[in-house]
Amino acid sequence: MKVSDTSDLWWKSAVIYCLDVEVFMDGDGDGIGDLGGLASRLDYLAELGVTCLWLMPFYPSPDRDDGYDISDFLGVDRRLGDLGDFVEVIRIAEDRGMRVIVDLVVNHTSDKHPWFKAARASRNSPFRDFYVWRDEPPERQPEPVFPDQETSDWQYDEKAGQYYQHVFYRQQPDLNITNERVRDEIAKVVGFWVQLGVSGFRVDAVPFLLDTTGIVDGKKLLPDPHAYLRHLRSFLDRRSGQAILLGEVNLDRKQQNTFFGGSEGNELTMQFDFISMQKLYLSLARGDARPLEKALLSRPKGSPDIQWANFVRNHDELTLDKLTEKERAEVFAAFGPEKRMQVYDRGLVRRLPPMLQGDPRRIRMVYSLMFSLPGTPVLFYGEEIGMGENLDVGGRMSVRTPMQWNADRNGGFSTAPTAKLRNAVTPGGFGPEHVNVAQQRRDPDSLLAFVRTLIRHYRNGSEFGWGAFDVLEQPDKAVLAHTLTMGDRVIIAVHNFASEPREVQLPLPVAHEDRRLTDVFTDAHVPLEGNTLTVSLDGYGYRWLRLTARDDTGLY
Ligand code: GLC
């Protein structure tokens, strides 16, 4: 047997599932999801075909920013369980063939973190320099990340007698990574969770973490912040040969390439493809695949070991900040025309199915697309059953409603009185009465069954995670036809962004002699004649075809 990269570099063909422990499953009936509840649902995730869980922050937190304001990096929030419960989750997941990655949120701490309490109490505190202080805020400041709540990145602190920097909420003071002790603490956090068995980190707000421009004392500035990211990566590699850094970097392609470490690939292992995600919505709004096509083709080449994380929806606002104002207005008009559906003038607070008016053809087309794009798919919990949002909750919390397990009270998430739930359940047509796991599990035609099928095919064919990407030229702008090539095997994926049926003529990427073409979903043989392939698609239709050598004995 050939010892191959395809199994070593697990992240290249993983299926990642993001969940917030607090709203996934409540094991002890107090209205808040917990690690015990999650442990009891790991078989469900394994059955779905997930290979890696991404746990959103479960650390002690005053919850100003839903756990992204951490008061102890080495602990578990008491409401969610303890370290023993965490280790149990890791162990059971491992037993079911799933890895676990966790959020690394070290751009800032909570203002309730003991470091910050000590820092603000005295200028002489050894922790003072853990944060970024100034007597006067800088004259020129960037637009705040949360413009509805903050007007400045700098907050005057009475106790400290100075201003501190906070890129996010004022309760999230920024850590000063030019301080070697802070970098040591971050390494300790990384080392700790790796030792407990995690396979890496989703690294929060990476560009902000590396941005040291807020620090006045020029002498202390890190000469090259990316050298620090490289250092963090090599530290992680030393501690665990197989752990990853999956970074949140919503920047342009050139800068994303830098965060990968260019052709060396020695910084982030993975990055979310924010650009393609945004263009996907533009393409959907226009019924025109070209914006997405262009975004995919603009991905930097980089090292073969790095990987893109494809996603349709995450836990934050569906940001459209990289679109032009006109494009953003188009997407708003199509998918979130009401003010309460929008946030920060740049994003939507909705989930996909309600945005597509629940049209099952269109929803399936989008997930077919996500699983066929080059890269690693990342699902946000509940996407597999088509959950909707709760606009009454408002803001980013609208999409963080409890997981819908069955049609019972609280969607089977908790036995607690409804008023005690961490977050209200999604009401209406996308709520648990109509959308839930129990129902869909029994229905072979459900979205859940469909997503399970997509995952199975994705996992069976290493072309998806590893294949070389290309676009097949054809004149219909409503259609995206792309290929993923790995050796003798080629996946041809064709998606129709229009509601009307389409027929497209595609140039075969290789000579048809001695080739076999199979429909991935039906396993039907597709006859090949000449060097053009004719594909018919229903409205919002999709096809996955596999081209192999005639004597290919692969089991797909
Ligand atoms: C990231 C997270 C977001 C959080 C912010 C501050 O953008 O995804 O939820 O509010 O960082 O930690």
Side-chain angles (χ1 to χ4, degrees):
M1 193 177 95
K2 197 169 145 225
V3 177
S4 84
D5 288 348
T6 50
S7 56
D8 267 2
L9 308 186
W10 61 268
W11 59 90
K12 295 277 294 186
S13 49
V15 176
I16 301 180
Y17 188 96
C18 166
L19 68 93
D20 185 352
V21 176
E22 280 185 310
V23 287
F24 196 61
M25 182 65 207
D26 175 12
D28 61 8
D30 65 353
I32 302 169
D34 44 48
L35 291 166
L38 168 59
S40 72
R41 294 297 142 99
L42 290 173
D43 281 319
Y44 162 73
L45 296 172
E47 182 184 298
L48 179 60
V50 169
T51 66
C52 177
L53 306 181
W54 152 25
L55 304 185
M56 285 166 62
F58 50 82
Y59 316 102
S61 162
D63 254 348
R64 171 65 183 95
D65 187 10
D66 199 22
Y68 281 91
D69 48 326
I70 298 170
S71 51
D72 176 7
F73 287 125
L74 306 178
V76 170
D77 192 302
R78 265 189 297 138
R79 294 165 297 180
L80 275 50
D82 57 28
L83 281 174
D85 298 317
F86 179 79
V87 168
E88 278 303 290
V89 165
I90 297 274
R91 185 198 67 81
I92 302 170
E94 190 180 303
D95 184 65
R96 309 299 197 266
M98 291 184 289
R99 296 171 180 274
V100 177
I101 64 172
V102 296
D103 247 284
L104 181 69
V105 189
V106 289
N107 169 70
H108 47 265
T109 66
S110 157
D111 61 349
K112 300 289 181 297
H113 195 293
W115 298 340
F116 190 68
K117 287 188 186 165
R120 77 200 310 187
S122 151
R123 280 189 193 236
N124 300 324
S125 161
F127 292 101
R128 183 75 166 199
D129 198 31
F130 267 43
Y131 296 89
V132 184
W133 301 96
R134 280 192 182 198
D135 290 330
E136 291 298 330
E139 267 165 32
R140 280 155 49 119
Q141 291 190 33
E143 165 88 350
V145 177
F146 300 135
D148 60 334
Q149 303 278 329
E150 302 292 352
T151 50
S152 161
D153 281 4
W154 293 82
Q155 175 67 30
Y156 185 71
D157 188 65
E158 292 286 347
K159 264 197 204 155
Q162 274 190 305
Y163 290 82
Y164 63 86
Q165 189 181 26
H166 62 90
V167 169
F168 297 97
Y169 293 120
R170 69 189 65 181
Q171 293 86 353
Q172 294 167 300
D174 287 347
L175 280 168
N176 171 13
I177 63 152
T178 71
N179 181 340
E180 197 184 341
R181 287 187 53 215
V182 169
R183 299 200 301 272
D184 276 351
E185 289 291 344
I186 294 175
K188 190 158 76 175
V189 173
V190 166
F192 178 79
W193 294 104
V194 164
Q195 202 65 28
L196 287 191
V198 307
S199 293
F201 301 87
R202 178 264 184 189
V203 193
D204 192 65
V206 193
F208 296 112
L209 171 69
L210 292 200
D211 181 7
T212 58
T213 48
I215 295 149
V216 228
D217 186 350
K219 281 181 294 194
K220 287 194 217 138
L221 282 178
L222 287 181
D224 176 11
H226 283 274
Y228 170 53
L229 193 52
R230 286 193 287 278
H231 177 83
L232 198 62
R233 170 69 186 280
S234 66
F235 170 76
L236 182 63
D237 288 349
R238 279 201 309 282
R239 288 293 175 96
S240 157
Q242 43 79 51
I244 60 161
L245 295 176
L246 162 56
E248 181 195 25
V249 182
N250 180 15
L251 295 177
D252 63 36
R253 292 299 196 206
K254 202 163 156 248
Q255 296 182 77
Q256 288 179 327
N257 193 31
T258 311
F259 279 88
F260 272 134
S263 55
E264 296 290 312
N266 54 2
E267 294 189 27
L268 296 171
T269 332
M270 294 182 72
Q271 282 179 59
F272 296 100
D273 190 349
F274 278 97
I275 309 273
S276 298
M277 183 280 290
Q278 302 192 31
K279 297 289 184 178
L280 164 68
Y281 284 94
L282 184 62
S283 280
L284 289 170
R286 288 182 177 172
D288 176 354
R290 288 171 308 183
L292 173 63
E293 180 178 307
K294 222 170 130 201
L296 291 165
L297 288 170
S298 73
R299 284 178 173 180
K301 291 285 169 281
S303 148
D305 293 359
I306 57 109
Q307 183 64 307
W308 290 99
N310 296 317
F311 68 108
V312 163
R313 198 61 185 91
N314 70 5
H315 61 290
D316 287 329
E317 76 276 12
L318 190 175
T319 184
L320 300 166
D321 67 337
K322 297 290 176 287
L323 302 184
T324 64
E325 210 165 306
K326 201 177 139 276
E327 291 171 339
R328 192 161 41 245
E330 282 178 62
V331 179
F332 277 172
F335 301 130
E338 297 172 36
K339 267 282 167 232
R340 65 190 184 129
M341 298 171 173
Q342 305 165 9
V343 73
Y344 315 138
D345 291 328
R346 63 168 185 254
L348 290 165
V349 296
R350 311 189 73 193
R351 282 188 179 245
L352 181 79
M355 287 195 280
L356 302 184
Q357 272 105 34
D359 183 341
R361 300 171 308 164
R362 219 172 169 194
I363 296 167
R364 286 171 196 228
M365 189 281 276
V366 172
Y367 287 107
S368 162
L369 187 63
M370 173 166 107
F371 278 88
S372 71
L373 290 181
T376 292
V378 183
L379 282 169
F380 181 48
Y381 78 92
E383 279 193 282
E384 73 276 23
I385 53 172
M387 272 170 60
E389 71 279 348
N390 183 356
L391 292 173
D392 300 336
V393 175
R396 299 183 305 164
M397 291 302 282
S398 307
V399 298
R400 303 183 192 173
T401 59
M403 179 67 180
Q404 298 171 189
W405 295 105
N406 58 40
D408 295 349
R409 196 167 57 90
N410 303 334
F413 157 71
S414 172
T415 55
T418 299
K420 290 190 78 181
L421 294 194
R422 167 71 182 93
N423 195 2
V425 169
T426 290
F430 293 93
E433 256 176 69
H434 306 281
V435 174
N436 67 63
V437 172
Q439 227 166 49
Q440 295 196 21
R441 226 177 178 186
R442 285 191 292 270
D443 176 1
D445 296 324
S446 65
L447 182 62
L448 178 63
F450 176 68
V451 172
R452 208 187 290 138
T453 302
L454 291 175
I455 293 182
R456 183 158 59 82
H457 291 304
Y458 173 89
R459 288 182 59 182
N460 281 345
S462 41
E463 299 97 321
F464 299 103
W466 286 85
F469 171 73
D470 211 349
V471 168
L472 293 180
E473 296 290 333
Q474 49 80 36
D476 192 339
K477 69 181 172 107
V479 174
L480 175 66
H482 71 271
T483 54
L484 299 160
T485 305
M486 214 183 157
D488 271 351
R489 301 196 318 252
V490 186
I491 291 285
I492 304 173
V494 197
H495 290 85
N496 179 9
F497 283 67
S499 56
E500 300 304 318
R502 289 296 209 264
E503 191 173 275
V504 287
Q505 315 280 330
L506 302 174
L508 266 191
V510 284
H512 73 285
E513 289 84 12
D514 304 322
R515 296 277 156 169
R516 190 168 50 185
L517 190 67
T518 320
D519 185 299
V520 173
F521 294 116
T522 62
D523 211 27
H525 176 73
V526 183
L528 277 176
E529 273 165 46
N531 287 324
T532 306
L533 174 66
T534 305
V535 177
S536 307
L537 297 157
D538 294 336
Y540 301 125
Y542 50 85
R543 299 282 298 275
W544 292 13
L545 303 164
R546 177 178 267 116
L547 197 60
T548 56
R550 214 167 263 288
D551 56 1
D552 187 314
T553 54
L555 180 65
Y556 305 108

